[in-house]
């Protein structure tokens, strides 16, 4: 019986189930969550936050990392940081002190025009849809 050598280059990885399992075990929890968020963004047909540009109308999805009440020019403003695995975006509702369901860890889809404020992407008063809690 003769052995036929495989013509696999050193940069190629076997694409088997065992290799994927090893990759998942050796990856950090944060990296795994980021990958899931990026896949979720693609599945829902949303723009990745990392690909958003100033003045572009977008629909993005992700998980709220933080939610804070921060007045802007004397007007109450509810601010939340939305993360989709590629980058973060600030979502700001002017004139609101709280919104039921807007809390850290909640997933949502937001639509609006991206603006840049102090070097960060921001959506002011976006249309939004809270994702069901059972799917998280």
């Amino acid at each position: 019986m003769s052995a036929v050598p495989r013509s696999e280059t050193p940069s190629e990885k076997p694409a088997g189930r065992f290799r994927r399992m090893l990759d998942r075990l050796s990856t950090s929890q944060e990296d795994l969550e980021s990958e899931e968020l990026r896949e979720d963004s693609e599945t829902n047909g949303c723009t990745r936050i990392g690909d958003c540009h100033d003045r572009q109308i977008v629909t993005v999805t992700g998980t709220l990392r933080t939610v804070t009440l921060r007045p802007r020019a004397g007007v109450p403003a509810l601010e939340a940081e939305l993360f989709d695995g590629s980058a973060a975006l600030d979502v700001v509702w002017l004139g609101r002190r709280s919104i039921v369901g807007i809390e850290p860890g909640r997933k949502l889809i937001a639509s609006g025009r991206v603006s840049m404020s102090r070097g960060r992407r921001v959506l002011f008063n976006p249309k939004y849809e809270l994702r069901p809690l059972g799917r998280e």
Side-chain angles (χ1 to χ4, degrees):
M1 200 186 228
S2 65
V4 178
R6 292 179 64 185
S7 61
E8 184 177 308
T9 61
S11 64
E12 280 184 38
K13 288 186 190 178
R17 286 190 299 196
F18 181 70
R19 181 49 150 172
R20 286 193 304 269
M21 182 182 72
L22 282 177
D23 287 345
R24 286 189 67 84
L25 290 174
S26 64
T27 305
S28 72
Q29 183 66 28
E30 185 176 322
D31 290 339
L32 290 173
E33 290 172 0
S34 293
E35 180 63 29
E36 286 177 19
L37 289 170
R38 284 191 295 271
E39 288 173 5
D40 189 39
S41 182
E42 290 174 17
T43 303
N44 288 310
C46 296
T47 305
R48 289 181 17 178
I49 293 173
D51 297 336
C52 295
H53 303 290
D54 191 27
R55 308 298 300 155
Q56 180 182 9
I57 296 175
V58 297
T59 298
V60 294
T61 186
T63 301
L64 296 175
R65 282 196 197 170
T66 61
V67 179
T68 57
L69 177 62
R70 185 171 298 144
R72 288 180 174 249
V75 177
L78 184 65
E79 291 188 10
E81 182 183 64
L82 184 69
F83 181 71
D84 76 345
S86 66
L89 171 114
D90 293 331
V91 183
V92 180
W93 289 274
L94 298 171
R96 302 296 300 263
R97 295 182 188 281
S98 67
I99 299 173
V100 176
I102 301 295
E103 55 195 28
R106 189 69 188 258
K107 292 185 180 183
L108 67 86
I109 298 173
S111 301
R113 186 178 301 272
V114 175
S115 64
M116 297 298 283
S117 177
R118 299 183 183 125
R120 291 183 56 94
R121 295 173 184 92
V122 183
L123 274 180
F124 287 100
N125 295 324
K127 294 179 185 175
Y128 67 95
E129 175 184 333
L130 295 172
R131 305 289 302 276
L133 289 172
R135 295 186 194 172
E136 294 180 12

